[in-house]
Amino acid sequence: MSSYLLIGFWFERPAAADAGKKAFITTRLGDFGFLLGILTVWATFGSLKFELIEKALTANPQALGALATTAGLLIFCGAMGKSAQFPLHVWLPDAMEGPTPVSALIHAATMVAAGVYMLCRVFFLLDIPGSHALEVVAWIGGFTALLSAVIAIQQNDIKRILAYSTLSQLGYMVMAVGLHGPAPAMFHLTTHAFFKALLFLGAGSVIVALHHEQDIWKMGGLRRKMPVTFWTFMAGTLALAGLWPFSGFYSKDGILAQAAEHSLPLYLLGTAVAALTTFYMFRLIFVAFLGAQRSDAAGHAHESPPVMAWPLRLLAVFSVIGGLIGVEQLYGKQFPAEHIEQGASFIRELVAPFIHAPGVATFGLLMVFLGFAAAWALYRNATSDPLPEKLGALSRAMRNRFYFDELYEATVIRLHDFLAAVADWFDRWIIAGFAVRGTHGTTELAGRALRLLQTGNLQTYAFLFALGVALVLYLVLK
């Protein structure tokens, strides 16, 4: 309800009102499965208390029996809706219709984080011998990360690019949980909160300076006009891309190391997403902040006031140092995490990924540089997007989000409308018409017929009484 009200804050705008309803309804679909999962757990254990369920599973890992995978996936439905995983991912990009601080709140810290947190909190229900739930969770997370990164490449709205970036990073986190890594998932969730809040607030600073313009191709040249916004936005971008020693490098490296250990295909997918992330973020940087001014609004832009600039500075600090302030060690105490040294020196923590998994860390950085090089080659002096001409139909599909909304409109929504029409006809003609009005009509007609006998005339009553007695005598004596 809170998210619905925040997303639809500007309720007079149809797009904002529709986005609020879309978020509400889509997450309810996930919650339906979540509720079924909760009921399955309650029916099996007779309790919903985590401590009692965990003890029961420790004593008897086969307590759920054949329902282990089903229960795990039904519970995952809750995270699929709340953390916008495929195929319930369509609401989150539209949620940016809310005010930019709301976007920072929803996309970085509170709402979408709830699903990932829940998966980590009930990890003992997913990691059961014989259950295949974690495999499905990992692949859905990985596919969501890749799909969202590809779509982000051809978005032109600055907030929509960041929204798909959120989807992609949430996919990373869910993939980490599926790869038996709740600690890396929570670590990335925490660092992501720093730099994604920074990026959204930085986008808000740009939007205010350009009089609510959100198209990056109508910006340009903002680096000199808005130096605080630019450099803090750059810090968030480097953290999101995963450049050493920014916070995102350490948390992303933990996820990629987990993937390299458990699933080579998902590791390769994760590294590809890292390259795509760098590519679309530096596309945004080159087009919006560098190059020539592309509109009068960009030419008259100026730095935001201190009330907007200081939160950017504060979040930029944590985007830089967030990986080295002990967050990973904190989660390492909560979950069985590997390769975490308690009390290591600062220098050792600084280079820890290169010590424990040098190949993963080096290859991850290589993907960052590859994404940057591609963005540099295509967008450093671009006056228009060169990809539509190069990719053709694929570019249109990416720009139109692979037509998922249209597909759901043509299938799920039409099926829903058909079922609603059938239910309306059944309610109107069978229940209300035949059952309710039919019963009512029959009773009324019978009452009217009986009322004809109640004339109030004593002679008529005497005649009917005599007629009745005669009829009885006839039947008896016949």
Side-chain angles (χ1 to χ4, degrees), residues 304-323:
S304 297
V307 71
M308 296 175 67
W310 275 106
L312 299 180
R313 294 186 177 103
L314 181 63
L315 287 167
V317 170
F318 284 99
S319 297
V320 175
I321 68 171

Side-chain angles (χ1 to χ4, degrees), residues 424-435:
D424 176 68
W425 180 87
F426 188 81
D427 178 67
R428 189 184 303 274
W429 295 103
I430 303 300
I431 297 177
F434 178 75

Side-chain angles (χ1 to χ4, degrees), residues 376-390:
W376 172 269
L378 288 171
Y379 291 104
R380 72 180 186 276
N381 294 318
T383 56
S384 62
D385 198 336
L387 282 185
E389 183 179 347
K390 296 177 183 296

Side-chain angles (χ1 to χ4, degrees), residues 152 160-169 196 240 280-281:
R160 196 171 287 275
I161 294 171
L162 297 178
Y164 277 104
S165 167
T166 300
L167 267 179
S168 186
Q169 298 306 306
K196 187 52 62 68
L240 174 59
Y280 66 68
M281 286 306 299

Side-chain angles (χ1 to χ4, degrees), residues 257-328:
Q258 195 80 13
E261 184 176 341
H262 290 89
S263 173
L264 180 60
L266 284 174
Y267 167 68
L268 295 176
L269 184 151
T271 55
V273 172
L276 292 173
T277 301
T278 308
F279 176 77
Y280 66 68
M281 286 306 299
F282 274 95
R283 170 182 178 264
L284 192 162
I285 290 285
F286 287 136
V287 173
F289 289 95
L290 306 179
Q293 300 162 5
R294 298 182 178 86
S295 67
D296 291 338
H300 294 93
H302 54 82
E303 188 57 84
S304 297
V307 71
M308 296 175 67
W310 275 106
L312 299 180
R313 294 186 177 103
L314 181 63
L315 287 167
V317 170
F318 284 99
S319 297
V320 175
I321 68 171
L324 299 169
I325 58 177
V327 176
E328 187 178 18

